[in-house]
Amino acid sequence: MNNFGVGCFLSKNLLIYGKVKTKSSDFEVHEINLEGNIAGVQDSDHKQMKITETTENKNCANNATCVKSNSDVSERKQCSEPSVECWGNILKDGMKSLSDVIGDDNLKLLTQMGKRSMDKTLDLGIFNDKVKRTIIHQCIRYNFPFLITHTVKSENETKLTCCVDAVYQKMIEVGFTETMASDLIKFVNCRSLWCLENLDKAGLNIDVHTFTREKRKALHHFINKHYGKLIESKTILFNHRTVISIRFKERKYSQCTNERKRKCNEDIVIVTLFKNNIELLTVLQKLATQLGVQLSNIKYAGIKDKKAVTYQFVSIAGVTKQVIQDVIKEQFDNWHICHPKVTSSHLQLGDLQGNRFKIVIRNLITETTSQSSNGEYQTQRQALYSIINQSVMNVISEGFINYFGEQRFGYDQTAARIGLALLRENYMQAVDLLLSPKPSSESEEDNVVEASKRCFVDTHNAKETLRTMPTYKTRERLVLQALNRYSYSDEGCLKAFLNIPYAMRLFFVHSYCSLIWNKVITERILKHGFKILPGDFVNKDGNNVKINADDIYLKRYTISDVVLPLPGSSIAFPENATNDIYHNLLSIDRIDKTSFKLKKLGFNVQGSYRNIIVKPSNLTWELPHSSSMEDKSEVGLLLEFDLPSSSYATMMIRELMHNG
């Protein structure tokens, strides 16, 4: 087991060697908000902000394999979609539109595909035009809701295939009628066509007048499990009949405390933030300075990697849209904001569906290719292609263990150790850990930081340390500023952490909880494999339900359904052997449930539940040819995929390469 608790793999992929994050441009992250909007993708201005190296790699790619489903609404928003007039014509005669693009023979085969022909896959042909693929995806989903289409890219072409949708089958099994299932699929996945046909409707009403309460409850459970991040459902009376009303979710509004009421009543502006190879807190400090607001006026939904190109949404209070427009006109070296939009609520941590990743892995070889001679480049490439293809298919079908990545913990688990010190209310130790120097680095900038930290360790003189601490080390400077004002004491160190933004000091405690989760899941897998245990939890309709022996015997759930808790004051641990693992690890650190109520720091960490297994969506990969790559070690792998919030791309890559 490595030093942050990661020790197991889910699949049996072959070993692949490669380097991740050789450059910041090799790791590109786009945040997906609760409405399915993708930061930096839908905004046309971002086209000028793309990193050149990534674009060039894309253009030279001519060898790829792709598995994409049209079931994700956000995926289609990247496409150059047809106009409203075009969709209107498609709606008038959808079958003719389909026939025009896929041909009469294929259309006939589509109509003949049974709703239960689970083993049949229909090859619709080659479609390199993205607009045509979009039309086909939506037309088939709209006219044949029980079918689902996939995009499959090969060396020089892109083709579409079609098969029966397993989700549709599950709908029927839990009690949806065919009409209900069809309407729900069209509502979620064909929004453009649905809106054109139902301009007078704000949502979808499913008639369940004859259904029992238990049957209605089962439908709600299904909707929440499969579409809970996009839509919400509730049972209401409509025209004197009982219906399940379904609507797309709106932005959550934060509850205002009395002391924050004034800020909540002000306009809040959400912008898209682009940054490259710079820490989020450093950028936010610079942005606050440019806008003339407090750092606490800026909120975000998730922390993004430093060594990466990232696009995310941030909300800003206490400033007008015009002031933000003036900052947008400014040019900065490695960050930028754009597209301000006035809203009524701040972003909160976790207000996102997930993230879209574009990653380059360099110096790619396997044990097989490393043993080949330089004269066998094409043979090596074919072997590498085959190994990657199999690994990708395994990850798509099985997923990966949902470990927290190393960036959650920092060097030598520093963030987690700070979190533990805060839970023990040892604020001086927490400050010492934050300002402890690392071993010397090859980077001149890092060495300046470490020299400054050594000054503090030797003297505990905050004022002197501030003089040498670089301005981009925002977190450290905020702590030192408070120490300079309040002194290096237990009370002064507490106030130093209170000087850090709320979400950032909460991050340290979450880091500790994440480390416990990683260690628990590794120990459990080593002892029990991927078996479901009586007493485990699964999430149903937002509630955690305990699994019993009958559930296991009847195979009602798989390991992908099981969630394990992140420790907190209000969490319930599984009533099985996993409980002992939690108890032993927390006892060693002298932590119990009361430790997570940190009134002095202003928060109560209640805990949450996290899936053991997670699967990427919209996963594509490319193994580009390049005349400049004379040596096999220069081969690079290009990956694109979506992950839900709080899941780590580095852990998906670890599973894919079976290395680490």
Side-chain angles (χ1 to χ4, degrees):
M1 187 189 303
N2 62 28
N3 65 354
F4 55 102
V6 174
C8 299
F9 292 98
L10 177 61
S11 61
K12 296 182 179 179
N13 294 336
L14 291 175
L15 187 62
I16 303 172
Y17 299 98
K19 292 183 179 180
V20 182
K21 292 189 179 181
T22 304
K23 308 173 184 178
S24 61
S25 56
D26 287 350
F27 204 90
E28 190 174 323
V29 187
H30 299 257
E31 188 171 88
I32 306 172
N33 69 10
L34 293 176
E35 286 79 32
N37 300 317
I38 307 170
V41 172
Q42 295 157 313
D43 303 327
S44 58
D45 287 2
H46 279 296
K47 291 178 182 178
Q48 300 175 2
M49 297 163 60
K50 298 289 185 184
I51 303 304
T52 304
E53 295 151 2
T54 304
T55 305
E56 288 173 351
N57 280 332
K58 270 288 182 187
N59 291 340
C60 75
N62 58 14
N63 200 355
T65 294
C66 165
V67 178
K68 272 195 180 181
S69 165
N70 72 329
S71 59
D72 184 10
V73 176
S74 62
E75 184 267 341
R76 287 192 303 278
K77 292 184 178 179
Q78 297 177 78
C79 306
S80 302
E81 291 201 6
S83 64
V84 174
E85 293 79 8
C86 180
W87 283 130
N89 294 332
I90 290 170
L91 187 62
K92 290 176 185 176
D93 195 355
M95 290 297 189
K96 185 178 185 305
S97 300
L98 264 178
S99 178
D100 290 342
V101 230
I102 68 174
D104 291 336
D105 291 342
N106 276 333
L107 182 60
K108 186 176 180 180
L109 290 172
L110 276 180
T111 58
Q112 293 173 350
M113 285 187 76
K115 296 175 184 177
R116 293 170 180 79
S117 304
M118 297 296 293
D119 57 339
K120 292 184 179 179
T121 299
L122 177 62
D123 190 341
L124 298 174
I126 297 169
F127 300 93
N128 293 323
D129 187 333
K130 208 168 194 177
V131 172
K132 283 187 178 180
R133 293 202 302 271
T134 302
I135 292 173
I136 295 170
H137 282 315
Q138 292 234 334
C139 281
I140 290 179
R141 202 62 163 151
Y142 200 78
N143 292 285
F144 304 96
F146 58 91
L147 299 178
I148 189 167
T149 49
H150 296 279
T151 303
V152 181
K153 291 184 180 179
S154 56
E155 187 165 350
N156 297 309
E157 59 193 27
T158 302
K159 68 177 181 179
L160 295 182
T161 63
C162 184
C163 62
V164 174
D165 186 7
V167 174
Y168 179 92
Q169 294 297 108
K170 291 179 182 177
M171 286 186 182
I172 304 302
E173 290 170 7
V174 299
F176 285 86
T177 65
E178 292 185 358
T179 301
M180 290 176 182
S182 298
D183 285 347
L184 180 58
I185 286 174
K186 289 193 287 186
F187 178 70
V188 173
N189 294 293
C190 308
R191 201 170 182 180
S192 53
L193 288 171
W194 177 268
C195 291
L196 285 172
E197 188 181 44
N198 302 276
L199 292 176
D200 58 329
K201 294 183 180 179
L204 171 67
N205 289 335
I206 296 178
D207 191 335
V208 289
H209 193 66
T210 59
F211 283 32
T212 64
R213 183 178 178 183
E214 286 301 314
K215 196 170 181 180
R216 293 198 301 269
K217 188 176 180 180
L219 302 192
H220 283 296
H221 284 172
F222 183 91
I223 292 169
N224 182 72
K225 179 178 179 180
H226 290 273
Y227 304 112
K229 289 189 176 180
L230 289 175
I231 61 177
E232 56 190 359
S233 64
K234 61 181 178 180
T235 302
I236 63 171
L237 278 176
F238 181 76
N239 290 341
H240 307 293
R241 296 183 70 84
T242 304
V243 301
I244 291 179
S245 175
I246 300 172
R247 301 289 185 273
F248 279 93
K249 283 185 174 179
E250 297 179 356
R251 170 67 64 191
K252 293 189 291 185
Y253 291 88
S254 58
Q255 304 235 340
C256 303
T257 60
N258 288 333
E259 61 185 50
R260 294 180 182 172
K261 197 168 286 184
R262 181 184 61 80
K263 287 184 180 179
C264 287
N265 289 332
E266 293 176 352
D267 279 342
I268 294 171
V269 182
I270 289 183
V271 299
T272 300
L273 169 65
F274 159 84
K275 65 181 184 68
N276 178 14
N277 199 25
I278 185 171
E279 194 173 346
L280 176 61
L281 186 57
T282 303
V283 173
L284 297 185
Q285 182 69 70
K286 291 176 181 287
L287 179 58
T289 302
Q290 291 291 327
L291 295 172
V293 300
Q294 295 292 321
L295 184 58
S296 58
N297 284 31
I298 305 176
K299 307 290 184 183
Y300 49 88
I303 299 173
K304 300 294 178 281
D305 294 42
K306 175 189 174 182
K307 191 175 181 181
V309 173
T310 68
Y311 303 81
Q312 68 187 108
F313 300 102
V314 299
S315 60
I316 309 164
V319 66
T320 65
K321 189 175 178 180
Q322 183 55 51
V323 172
I324 291 177
Q325 289 283 15
D326 293 339
V327 173
I328 287 174
K329 294 173 186 176
E330 298 273 348
Q331 294 297 321
F332 305 100
D333 290 339
N334 49 4
W335 67 276
H336 186 78
I337 61 170
C338 65
H339 299 290
K341 179 182 177 183
V342 177
T343 184
S344 56
S345 62
H346 252 311
L347 287 173
Q348 303 293 327
L349 279 175
D351 279 357
L352 68 161
Q353 284 188 34
N355 295 285
R356 172 155 296 172
F357 296 90
K358 298 180 181 180
I359 296 172
V360 179
I361 303 174
R362 299 184 183 274
N363 297 347
L364 203 68
I365 58 173
T366 68
E367 289 182 325
T368 303
T369 58
S370 64
Q371 294 170 2
S372 303
S373 65
N374 291 334
E376 299 175 346
Y377 175 80
Q378 194 59 36
T379 303
Q380 296 167 27
R381 182 179 179 80
Q382 290 171 354
L384 184 61
Y385 187 95
S386 176
I387 291 170
I388 295 172
N389 186 54
Q390 184 58 53
S391 297
V392 167
M393 293 304 173
N394 288 343
V395 170
I396 289 173
S397 61
E398 299 176 24
F400 60 96
I401 302 171
N402 198 18
Y403 283 122
F404 290 93
E406 186 174 9
Q407 58 269 47
R408 181 81 167 187
F409 311 108
Y411 168 78
D412 196 26
Q413 301 179 31
T414 302
R417 293 164 66 203
I418 292 171
L420 176 57
L422 294 176
L423 287 170
R424 290 174 174 170
E425 299 186 285
N426 191 336
Y427 306 115
M428 292 180 72
Q429 183 186 26
V431 165
D432 289 343
L433 286 167
L434 180 65
L435 296 175
S436 292
K438 303 175 189 175
S440 297
S441 168
E442 294 179 4
S443 165
E444 187 175 333
E445 286 186 352
D446 285 349
N447 283 334
V448 171
V449 173
E450 304 318 319
S452 182
K453 288 183 176 181
R454 285 190 199 95
C455 172
F456 180 80
V457 170
D458 294 339
T459 67
H460 286 149
N461 187 326
K463 185 175 182 178
E464 185 64 30
T465 308
L466 265 172
R467 290 176 182 170
T468 57
M469 184 64 69
T471 55
Y472 64 85
K473 299 303 289 184
T474 307
R475 187 189 297 107
E476 286 81 355
R477 289 188 63 85
L478 287 170
V479 167
L480 288 167
Q481 286 164 5
L483 291 176
N484 183 42
R485 182 176 181 181
Y486 299 109
S487 79
Y488 177 70
S489 62
D490 197 55
E491 185 67 20
C493 290
L494 168 61
K495 290 181 178 179
F497 270 92
L498 288 172
N499 203 36
I500 298 175
Y502 174 86
M504 197 57 66
R505 62 179 181 265
L506 186 61
F507 169 80
F508 291 121
V509 177
H510 283 169
S511 177
Y512 170 77
C513 297
S514 303
L515 182 61
I516 293 296
W517 195 93
N518 275 8
K519 290 180 176 180
V520 168
I521 189 61
T522 294
E523 190 169 338
R524 172 183 162 128
I525 292 170
L526 291 174
K527 289 181 177 179
H528 305 285
F530 292 97
K531 295 178 182 177
I532 301 176
L533 305 177
D536 279 340
F537 292 111
V538 293
N539 186 278
K540 292 184 67 175
D541 198 23
N543 298 314
N544 291 306
V545 180
K546 193 184 302 182
I547 295 176
N548 57 39
D550 287 343
D551 293 327
I552 295 174
Y553 177 75
L554 296 173
K555 297 182 179 180
R556 290 184 177 130
Y557 305 106
T558 67
I559 192 65
S560 297
D561 298 312
V562 176
V563 294
L564 284 183
L566 282 152
S569 61
S570 304
I571 213 72
F573 293 117
E575 295 179 4
N576 52 39
T578 312
N579 182 47
D580 296 334
I581 302 174
Y582 278 105
H583 179 75
N584 292 338
L585 290 172
L586 293 172
S587 296
I588 291 170
D589 291 333
R590 304 193 306 279
I591 297 296
D592 58 31
K593 286 189 176 183
T594 62
S595 305
F596 295 95
K597 294 181 179 180
L598 297 164
K599 292 183 180 179
K600 291 182 179 179
L601 286 173
F603 48 71
N604 173 17
V605 181
Q606 295 184 331
S608 60
Y609 291 83
R610 180 179 179 86
N611 282 90
I612 292 177
I613 306 297
V614 71
K615 295 180 181 180
S617 57
N618 300 323
L619 174 57
T620 70
W621 67 275
E622 299 174 2
L623 192 63
H625 287 288
S626 174
S627 57
S628 64
M629 291 181 180
E630 296 178 0
D631 186 81
K632 57 183 176 294
S633 64
E634 295 183 40
V635 174
L637 172 64
L638 284 70
L639 292 165
E640 289 190 38
F641 53 92
D642 296 351
L643 289 179
S645 60
S646 192
S647 291
Y648 285 76
T650 49
M651 293 297 100
M652 198 282 284
I653 293 170
R654 173 183 176 272
E655 181 71 38
L656 184 73
M657 301 175 69
H658 237 253
N659 189 1

